[in-house]
């Protein structure tokens, strides 16, 4: 028997016929005409090479073959019903799940950490595994082993889904006694010593060059390159928290995304001042695999994170 040639509705009809022991009653129950049900019974007899129901003592009696088929048909129909039911709604208050999110420490501290804090008491079964860009590659994302990657991305495969999280401008972070605060023009900025903070999208950081032929320094220095200027970088780091510690020196400046700088000033005496030249704002996006796009738990995570990001964007 080739399953592709079998109308599986016939199994539904047979199940009801065995229960009702009547063609007319089975037709009624299934909202079919009696001729249609009689035709279905004929097809079933041909399919199983057995009469299935025979008339005896004024009623239709299932044959031994029909009775043997009954539990197997019921199990098959129950499985089919379970498969075709809509997915259950995700309930975060009772769910036991771990979400894996890739983010650099800028996003981790300004978005992920406060989001996790907001989830701790109300959703006790939801856990988080936050990975750094060096822990993740494109293949991890494509396979759906990482739920979300949140960062500034210059180019992505078209297969990924994405959503904009927020846009952020740059500012300068300094010690309150840094003399740049008294004279804060472009020339003053260039005369100061700087902390470089940047991170590649993901994977190990490669030694590549920018348009000027020098080491790739990132968005701040690309903006300066457009002005045919360079700054004096005294310290290179990949971590924003380290930049705030280094800014305890009165002679260093860190040029950072504003949300990160505001967070760092909330527990230090450091101060924020404008950048004396134009830098294209950061656009932070979240991306995810098409394999996860329709998963109810994943949909909940994306919806909640984007809504939470708006509350931070409005501050």
């Amino acid at each position: 028997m080739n399953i592709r040639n079998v109308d599986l509705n016939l199994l539904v009809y047979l199940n009801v016929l065995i229960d009702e022991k009547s063609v007319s009653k089975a037709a009624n129950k299934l909202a079919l005409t009696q001729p249609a049900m009689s035709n279905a019974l004929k097809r079933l007899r041909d399919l199983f090479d057995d009469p299935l129901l025979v008339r005896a003592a004024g009623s239709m009696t299932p044959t031994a073959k029909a009775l043997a088929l009954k539990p197997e048909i019921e199990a098959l129909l129950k499985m089919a019903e379970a498969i075709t039911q809509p997915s259950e709604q995700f309930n975060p208050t009772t769910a036991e799940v771990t979400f894996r999110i890739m983010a650099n420490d800028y996003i981790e501290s300004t978005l992920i950490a406060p989001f996790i804090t907001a989830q701790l008491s109300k959703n006790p079964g939801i856990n988080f595994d936050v990975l750094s860009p060096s822990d993740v590659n494109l293949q991890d994302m494509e396979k759906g082993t990482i739920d979300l990657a949140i960062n500034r991305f210059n180019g992505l495969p078209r297969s990924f889904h994405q959503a904009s999280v927020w846009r952020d401008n740059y500012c300068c972070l300094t010690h309150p006694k840094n003399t740049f605060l008294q004279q804060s023009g472009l020339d003053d900025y260039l005369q100061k010593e700087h902390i470089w903070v940047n991170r590649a999208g993901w994977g190990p950081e490669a030694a590549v060059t920018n348009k000027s032929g020098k080491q790739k320094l990132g968005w701040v220095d690309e903006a300066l390159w457009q002005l045919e200027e360079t700054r004096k970088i005294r310290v290179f780091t990949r971590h924003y928290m380290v930049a705030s510690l280094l800014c305890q020196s009165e002679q260093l400046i860190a040029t950072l995304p504003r949300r990160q700088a505001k967070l760092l000033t909330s527990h230090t005496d450091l101060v924020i001042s404008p950048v004396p030249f134009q830098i294209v704002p950061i656009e932070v996006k979240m991306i995810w695999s098409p394999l996860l796009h329709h998963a109810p738990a994943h949909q909940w995570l994306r919806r909640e994170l984007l809504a939470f990001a708006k509350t931070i964007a409005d501050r």
Side-chain angles (χ1 to χ4, degrees):
M1 185 187 300
N2 190 334
I3 189 67
R4 287 179 292 182
N5 297 328
V6 177
D7 181 355
L8 296 181
N9 285 321
L10 289 174
L11 301 181
V12 178
Y13 301 159
L14 178 56
N15 192 49
V16 175
L17 280 164
I18 295 170
D19 285 338
E20 298 297 331
K21 300 180 180 63
S22 164
V23 171
S24 59
K25 288 180 181 179
N28 257 354
K29 191 166 186 177
L30 293 168
L32 296 173
T33 64
Q34 188 162 331
M37 183 56 76
S38 296
N39 181 58
L41 179 56
K42 180 180 182 303
R43 292 169 64 195
L44 282 162
R45 285 167 170 165
D46 292 340
L47 180 64
F48 290 106
D49 193 23
D50 187 90
L52 298 174
L53 287 103
V54 294
R55 188 167 296 281
S59 67
M60 301 289 284
T61 302
T63 65
K65 174 77 170 180
L67 293 174
L69 286 170
K70 182 78 161 70
E72 296 179 2
I73 291 172
E74 286 178 339
L76 179 61
L77 294 178
K78 186 175 181 180
M79 183 173 65
E81 185 177 4
I83 291 171
T84 56
Q85 284 298 311
S87 300
E88 290 184 10
Q89 293 296 314
F90 178 72
N91 185 348
T93 61
T94 59
E96 297 285 339
V97 62
T98 296
F99 291 116
R100 306 184 75 209
I101 302 172
M102 184 281 276
N104 63 16
D105 64 330
Y106 157 50
I107 295 299
E108 187 173 10
S109 58
T110 57
L111 174 61
I112 305 301
F115 176 74
I116 291 173
T117 302
Q119 301 300 320
L120 292 178
S121 58
K122 61 182 180 180
N123 299 319
I126 295 181
N127 304 312
F128 295 89
D129 182 7
V130 185
L131 300 99
S132 70
S134 60
D135 297 325
V136 178
N137 56 42
L138 277 172
Q139 288 70 38
D140 296 323
M141 291 298 302
E142 288 170 341
K143 294 175 184 176
T145 57
I146 306 298
D147 290 285
L148 292 172
I150 308 177
N151 211 332
R152 176 177 177 173
F153 301 103
N154 293 326
L156 292 169
R158 291 184 179 180
S159 60
F160 285 161
H161 294 278
Q162 60 180 274
S164 181
V165 177
W166 64 41
R167 289 170 67 85
D168 203 358
N169 295 303
Y170 281 92
C171 65
C172 295
L173 183 72
T174 62
H175 189 279
K177 292 183 180 179
N178 192 310
T179 56
F180 175 69
L181 295 173
Q182 282 72 53
Q183 295 179 307
S184 54
L186 176 59
D187 289 341
D188 305 296
Y189 180 91
L190 296 174
Q191 288 172 10
K192 292 293 182 181
E193 294 179 324
H194 293 264
I195 304 162
W196 176 96
V197 191
N198 200 12
R199 191 64 188 83
W202 46 33
E205 207 166 344
V208 294
T209 58
N210 64 5
K211 298 174 186 175
S212 63
K214 297 181 180 179
Q215 181 184 7
K216 183 177 180 181
L217 298 180
W219 305 299
V220 174
D221 298 279
E222 286 289 346
L224 283 171
W225 182 86
Q226 297 293 332
L227 301 174
E228 299 184 348
E229 301 285 2
T230 57
R231 59 178 174 163
K232 300 174 185 177
I233 299 173
R234 188 70 183 272
V235 183
F236 292 82
T237 181
R238 275 74 178 165
H239 302 284
Y240 290 95
M241 184 59 70
V242 172
S244 72
L245 298 174
L246 291 168
C247 278
Q248 296 300 324
S249 164
E250 297 177 18
Q251 68 189 77
L252 293 174
I253 298 175
T255 306
L256 309 176
R258 180 168 292 275
R259 286 182 180 82
Q260 180 70 64
K262 287 179 69 176
L263 178 65
L264 296 175
T265 59
S266 67
H267 55 271
T268 67
D269 60 351
L270 301 178
V271 294
I272 292 173
S273 60
V275 178
F277 56 96
Q278 287 190 336
I279 307 176
V280 176
I282 294 174
E283 183 176 10
V284 174
K285 293 182 178 181
M286 66 166 62
I287 65 169
W288 61 95
S289 167
L291 297 175
L292 299 172
H293 186 64
H294 297 288
H298 201 269
Q299 291 176 336
W300 175 87
L301 175 64
R302 300 193 311 260
R303 184 172 59 250
E304 291 295 310
L305 255 175
L306 288 173
F308 189 82
K310 286 182 180 178
T311 69
I312 295 174
D314 293 339
R315 292 175 190 173

